[in-house]
Amino acid sequence: MQFLNFDKTNSFKKLSDYANGYSFDFRSKLDAKRVSECVIPMAAGLNYSWAAKAADEQTVKLLQELSNEQEIIAKYKALLDGEVINTGEKRKVLHQLSRGEQGKPVIENGKNIGEFYRKEMERFCRFADDVHNGKFKGSSGNDFTTVIQIGIGGSDLGPRALYLALDNWAIAEGKKKLNAKFISNVDPDDASQIISSCDLAKSLFILVSKSGTTQETLANELFVKDKLKKAGLDTSKHMIAVTSETSPLARNSAYLDSFYIDDYIGGRYSSSSAVGGCVLSLAFGSEVFKDFLKGASEADKLALNDDILKNAALLDALIGVWERNFLKYPSTAVLPYSQALSRFPAHLQQMDMESNGKRVNRNGEPVSYSTGPVILGEPGTNGQHSFYQLLHQGTDIIPLQFIGFTESQKNDDVSVDNSVSQTKLAANLTAQIVAFAKGKDSNDRNKEFPGGRPSSLIYGKRLTPAVLGSLLAHYENKVMFQGFVWNVNSFDQEGVQLGKILTKKVLSHDFGDSALEAYSKLFKI
């Protein structure tokens, strides 16, 4: 198994040659036959449609050759088997293992890592059940009604997006157990606003920090503890921790309990571990979280297929490479036509841009080709009244990734002008796909739509826990596959470190730089 820079492959030259002068005529090629044929089944009843992508039969053939040459599936299998894939930090990458084994058992120093993840899942699921049954109560004897997660980055974005995605569904299905809120920003207004909206005597806090030293998270913990103490409450009866076994938060009497993750699961990939599992199990019940894991595990299994026309995550990744490196599109928009997925694009921003926003390969050597795109997004139809103007008529072409469902989560709807709102939502989605692809001619240039804006579509019946797990794993695996193509390390994030170092210099007044000191004075630091 070789790890080659993308531009050193035979496929890179073939794709470059083919892209020279390439033009895909959306107006004539996008028809009913193409829509029916360009679909790949995904896990949990979802489907991936690439009919409106700028990829013809030869493009797909060359992308299959690229996948084979870069040994993408072999690298995925090596990752699942516990090989050291995170070269920057010299670590295994095992987030898929948190939702079920797809490879051989991973043993480290005699410890079965998969079994460790399973036992931790059962522990925090039992804890959630005990909270729901009243075994654990607040220090004043009240049942908990609200769970509040304190974390930042991957400890906030993924869990928050998933909670919001399932909240309406849980209410409709009678699965809602606790309300969930999130504190992430070190800005005190964030924590203050959340605390003021809660009954502290009935609130359970989850402190999430793998190292136990995350500056923003610990600052917010002290903020919360101060409020609890002033309310006359025992802080140790209102907090649990999600951390590593070697952190100062582990086995600490300051918390009701601690649940463990390890360095093999990166923050942005941690939603299927205790990082997301604790808050989702407390909010909706342990069985809901386990259904979410089943959907993710099924998607991980489907992602092992070598045939790119039977592997939605792989084809999605490769078409993204085609668009980024050969069609020269610098951005990608994720556009869920589901309000439940309102924060999903924000989660994907971190997952994608922190993973593949790299300018060196996995050995630390500069690369001479583009890597990860800029990710943006907003739910439809809100986005249509915001930034779609640029998407339709701007000077840059931005590939689009639509997500939609035939049914709403609550089936709480009203008919106006002979259709219900869910039908109107779906009508807007389908109209946008064709409008972006085919455009519209006009003698008035201001009203002309050039078309040729490529899009994919992930669609299904209803957003449920298993469907959400499938959707999350699809994007995680897509990002991983693109990292393999570009030969970058998708599992470290050195780009966030410099700012942290300089922040410490500012706080200690050890500036060492006149500009740093001058900017600090603007804020009276």
Side-chain angles (χ1 to χ4, degrees), residues 207-228:
L207 183 71
V208 184
S209 174
K210 188 190 303 182
S211 66
T213 60
T214 309
Q215 182 194 75
E216 297 95 333
T217 301
L218 296 184
N220 280 323
E221 178 193 19
L222 293 177
F223 187 102
V224 167
K225 284 184 172 179
D226 179 65
K227 296 295 185 183
L228 288 168

Side-chain angles (χ1 to χ4, degrees), residues 200-462:
L200 287 177
K202 300 178 181 179
S203 297
L204 175 65
F205 293 85
I206 307 173
L207 183 71
V208 184
S209 174
K210 188 190 303 182
S211 66
T213 60
T214 309
Q215 182 194 75
E216 297 95 333
T217 301
L218 296 184
N220 280 323
E221 178 193 19
L222 293 177
F223 187 102
V224 167
K225 284 184 172 179
D226 179 65
K227 296 295 185 183
L228 288 168
K229 289 174 183 176
K230 287 178 178 176
L233 300 169
D234 181 350
T235 61
S236 68
K237 302 296 185 184
H238 289 262
M239 281 196 161
I240 63 174
V242 175
T243 190
S244 67
E245 290 185 288
T246 57
S247 94
L249 308 181
R251 289 170 289 277
N252 190 320
S253 60
Y255 308 99
L256 270 171
D257 208 337
S258 297
F259 303 99
Y260 302 118
I261 53 176
D262 58 28
D263 286 335
Y264 304 140
I265 298 179
R268 57 195 176 275
Y269 297 103
S270 65
S271 292
S272 51
S273 73
V275 172
C278 283
V279 67
L280 294 178
S281 296
L282 285 162
F284 307 129
S286 58
E287 291 307 312
V288 170
F289 180 65
K290 290 177 181 178
D291 284 344
F292 162 79
L293 293 182
K294 288 177 184 176
S297 181
E298 183 186 347
D300 291 338
K301 184 176 182 179
L302 292 176
L304 286 164
N305 199 312
D306 286 292
D307 185 346
I308 69 172
L309 292 179
K310 295 179 180 178
N311 185 334
L314 182 54
L315 181 61
D316 196 3
L318 292 168
I319 290 177
V321 169
W322 167 246
E323 292 171 334
R324 182 76 176 105
N325 294 103
F326 304 105
L327 302 186
K328 306 300 182 183
Y329 302 150
S331 306
T332 297
V334 179
L335 308 170
Y337 274 63
S338 167
Q339 187 59 30
L341 294 173
S342 61
R343 291 296 289 170
F344 197 64
H347 172 52
L348 296 187
Q349 281 181 335
Q350 185 202 17
M351 184 198 299
D352 200 315
M353 295 169 72
E354 197 168 80
S355 295
N356 291 337
K358 309 290 173 64
R359 55 182 292 278
V360 299
N361 68 13
R362 59 200 312 275
N363 296 319
E365 302 158 342
V367 298
S368 56
Y369 44 85
S370 297
T371 57
V374 173
I375 304 296
L376 66 146
E378 181 75 11
T381 56
N382 294 26
Q384 292 176 202
H385 297 268
S386 174
F387 52 82
Y388 277 36
Q389 167 64 47
L390 184 146
L391 299 183
H392 274 293
Q393 294 182 308
T395 54
D396 290 324
I397 292 178
I398 297 177
L400 316 165
Q401 298 206 307
F402 290 103
I403 304 169
F405 304 95
T406 58
E407 296 181 5
S408 63
Q409 289 183 313
K410 291 184 71 175
N411 196 28
D412 181 14
D413 212 337
V414 62
S415 180
V416 178
D417 295 332
N418 300 316
S419 63
V420 296
S421 296
Q422 182 66 26
T423 301
K424 290 180 174 65
L425 180 70
N428 273 275
L429 168 53
T430 55
Q432 290 294 332
I433 293 172
V434 175
F436 278 118
K438 296 193 174 186
K440 181 178 76 73
D441 293 328
S442 175
N443 292 328
D444 182 346
R445 288 292 180 88
N446 193 51
K447 296 181 179 181
E448 183 180 40
F449 289 73
R453 267 63 174 167
S455 68
S456 63
L457 170 64
I458 293 175
Y459 65 96
K461 183 178 180 181
R462 185 175 180 229

Side-chain angles (χ1 to χ4, degrees), residues 460-480:
K461 183 178 180 181
R462 185 175 180 229
L463 183 56
T464 65
V467 167
L468 184 63
S470 169
L471 191 63
L472 179 77
H474 171 89
Y475 280 101
E476 289 182 348
N477 293 329
K478 172 191 173 181
V479 168
M480 172 187 68

